[in-house]
Amino acid sequence: AASTDGDAPTVPAAPVAEKAVLESETLFFEGPPSKKELIIPAVSVLTIIGIVPFAAALARQTWVKYKITSRRISVQSGFGGQDFTEIVYSDIEQLKFVYRGSKDVGDMVISLRDGAKLEMRFVPQFQDVYRYIYERCSAEAQQDSSPMAADSE
């Protein structure tokens, strides 16, 4: 029997609509490398040799910008900030780190599944940033990575 009231048959709403909505991306950290990288080069500028390292550190402060969100890591760098690198946590194969003087600043090398490496130097709020990235890596990546000691606050 056909409907005589002219209305189209109703189709039940798809329950996948709620699941299709992705969790919104939240910003964890955004900013340049730590200003502490300028201390030693600034002191060494008193010698002629120190001018080049100071200029390099100053250029990094001006043109490098790190952005860490709940979904990805972005690094803007290069002359005038024209180079842009973006990775997602599922691409990370391994994390390694080293502190720069204090535990507040450090460098990390992120190895990706395709063999590429991303170096992040003089990362401020280092312990918080490293733990945030480490927690979002796969279990396999965490096993291959350098864990940060819980008592290194």
Side-chain angles (χ1 to χ4, degrees):
S3 174
T4 58
D5 58 4
D7 290 339
T10 58
V11 178
V16 294
E18 287 182 34
K19 292 181 182 179
V21 176
L22 292 173
E23 179 182 318
S24 65
E25 186 170 24
T26 56
L27 179 66
F28 177 74
F29 173 81
E30 184 173 9
S34 172
K35 296 205 182 303
K36 291 181 180 181
E37 82 170 309
L38 292 171
I39 295 171
I40 293 174
V43 171
S44 70
V45 114
L46 298 174
T47 68
I48 299 297
I49 298 169
I51 293 173
V52 173
F54 181 73
L58 196 57
R60 256 191 312 277
Q61 284 294 308
T62 305
W63 293 328
V64 175
K65 183 176 174 184
Y66 301 130
K67 183 175 182 180
I68 296 148
T69 71
S70 58
R71 290 192 192 161
R72 70 193 96 213
I73 301 167
S74 305
V75 179
Q76 184 177 1
S77 62
F79 184 73
Q82 295 177 346
D83 295 332
F84 188 77
T85 303
E86 188 170 86
I87 61 171
V88 292
Y89 296 109
S90 61
D91 288 342
I92 296 175
E93 184 176 61
Q94 184 181 59
L95 294 170
K96 297 289 182 187
F97 73 91
V98 65
Y99 290 115
R100 287 282 191 158
S102 73
K103 293 182 179 181
D104 295 332
V105 179
D107 295 354
M108 75 175 84
V109 177
I110 302 172
S111 300
L112 305 178
R113 296 188 194 285
D114 66 0
K117 293 183 188 249
L118 173 64
E119 292 185 19
M120 297 174 65
R121 296 177 184 232
F122 286 95
V123 177
Q125 303 169 22
F126 185 72
Q127 290 189 337
D128 293 336
V129 168
Y130 186 85
R131 283 188 181 118
Y132 186 84
I133 294 171
Y134 182 87
E135 289 169 2
R136 279 152 185 77
C137 291
S138 67
E140 297 85 23
Q142 288 180 0
Q143 286 179 337
D144 293 339
S145 298
S146 301
M148 188 170 283
D151 60 346
S152 60
E153 297 286 321

